[in-house]
Amino acid sequence: MRLPLERDPQHPFDPPAGLRGLPPMTRLELADGHLGWLATTHEAARTVLADPRFSARQDLRRAAVRATVPPGAAPPPGFFVAMDPPAHTRYRRLLTGRFTVRRMRLLEPRIERVAADHLDAMAAAGPPADLVPAYALPIPSLVICELLGVPYADHDFFQDRSTRLALPGRDAQGATADLAAYLTELVGRKRKEPGDDLLSELTGELTDEEATNVALILLVAGHETTANMIALGVFALLHEGLAYEEDAAAGAEEELLRWLSVVHLGVPARAAPEDVEVAGVTVRKGETVALSLPAINRDPAMFEDPEALRLDRAEARRHLAFGHGVHQCLGQQLARIEMRIGYRALFGRFPDLRLAVPATEVPLRTDAAVYGVASLPVTWITGSPAG
């Protein structure tokens, strides 16, 4: 099979129909025509992600949907998401201390201020509003800019290039080159005039090329997925007629992460450098395994009534939206905080928020690596005073 990405506009939150009823490990035709595998159950996915015999190395695995780098190309210095230990471990250890729960919680007042400022602007302009550029995208963009030390005045540039990376048919290599050139120049400036930011810290421990590629990963990952989760999460809550309750048993954001699964393939595919048994099949040496989050996070063996959106679901945190194992998402705590504050502030300010167009007219990003909405027109009648 080829990996299905298209979703039904009539049922925008359901996984692609082609993912239903598949075996735990299903034969998959990869982008270059080679045969690989697709893991579709929670158990199979955790096995692949936790087994050190599976490799995340860019030069060993093949692309499931589209290739953005030449086959067999080794990852450049600092591009740690495409490396295995011990190379991966070095960068991971360098960054882990910067993304602890404690450090991320120190950012909460600033994130709350960012959310409030953008809600003030929405209220002043009056309804309707497109929630994506007005609110969902600026929150994670501004926060990751400040964290890294990237001038927010340049956010339009990197948002455009990041979007081109996520959408097939665009000039992904050109977008990568543009971002790399921008960050290379910025790293040079930080080395000469360091500031109180993460990028300045990295220049003290990494080469310019390493710091540039680490920053590239953090900058793109730090806003693209979270912005889509905020916007699509709001769409889901309004569509399903559910009230956001921050104090739900497992955290409403955890259930939204599970139910929406905005990243189709979840984590980079894994390659088998040797024969490995998974869920009753043999993944042969050299074969690639992709992982389908929309199927994995609705696995009935792991989640009761998985098709239902239940904001008080006790087992919601078992989702694999942030991956599993040594490559588990570095910024997951920041994403959780941004989502929680984003939802709470929005529905606190506009308790009667609703869609400004029929749900079927909300444009979906069905052809992107990150699923979401291209825009989300919303309206309201009442809103709390600014401030």
Side-chain angles (χ1 to χ4, degrees), residues 35-85:
L35 284 180
W37 296 92
L38 183 68
T40 64
T41 66
H42 197 277
E43 182 178 4
R46 282 177 62 93
T47 298
V48 171
L49 294 175
D51 193 326
R53 292 175 294 176
F54 281 103
S55 174
R57 279 174 50 185
Q58 175 179 287
D59 53 321
L60 296 182
R61 53 185 166 85
R62 297 179 180 275
V65 179
R66 61 189 176 98
T68 56
V69 295
F79 204 77
F80 62 93
V81 294
M83 297 176 179
D84 290 337

Side-chain angles (χ1 to χ4, degrees), residues 60 108 141 175 313 343 358 375:
L60 296 182
E108 289 188 12
S141 293
R313 184 184 294 274
Y343 296 141
S375 66

Side-chain angles (χ1 to χ4, degrees), residues 59-201:
D59 53 321
L60 296 182
R61 53 185 166 85
R62 297 179 180 275
V65 179
R66 61 189 176 98
T68 56
V69 295
F79 204 77
F80 62 93
V81 294
M83 297 176 179
D84 290 337
H88 168 266
T89 307
R90 174 189 171 226
Y91 297 108
R92 184 80 182 198
R93 285 177 177 167
L94 181 63
L95 293 167
T96 297
R98 274 87 168 178
F99 287 89
T100 62
V101 174
R102 182 185 66 83
R103 281 202 174 195
M104 294 302 99
R105 284 178 177 166
L106 292 176
L107 295 175
E108 289 188 12
R110 179 56 182 148
I111 298 171
E112 289 171 348
R113 184 68 260 165
V114 170
D117 287 347
H118 284 83
L119 291 172
D120 288 348
M122 283 176 58
D130 182 349
L131 200 73
V132 173
Y135 189 70
L137 189 54
I139 292 175
S141 293
L142 199 153
V143 171
I144 197 62
C145 279
E146 291 187 358
L147 193 63
L148 281 171
V150 174
Y152 189 65
D154 297 335
H155 73 284
D156 284 341
F157 165 81
F158 75 75
Q159 284 171 6
D160 171 73
R161 300 315 190 271
S162 298
T163 299
R164 284 163 54 185
L165 286 175
L167 291 171
R170 303 290 183 91
D171 180 17
Q173 291 185 340
T176 301
D178 288 350
L179 283 170
Y182 169 84
L183 290 169
T184 297
E185 190 275 334
L186 183 61
V187 165
R189 278 192 278 145
K190 295 291 183 181
R191 191 174 294 282
K192 293 178 182 178
E193 300 178 6
D196 184 20
D197 54 69
L198 178 56
L199 196 52
S200 294
E201 291 182 33

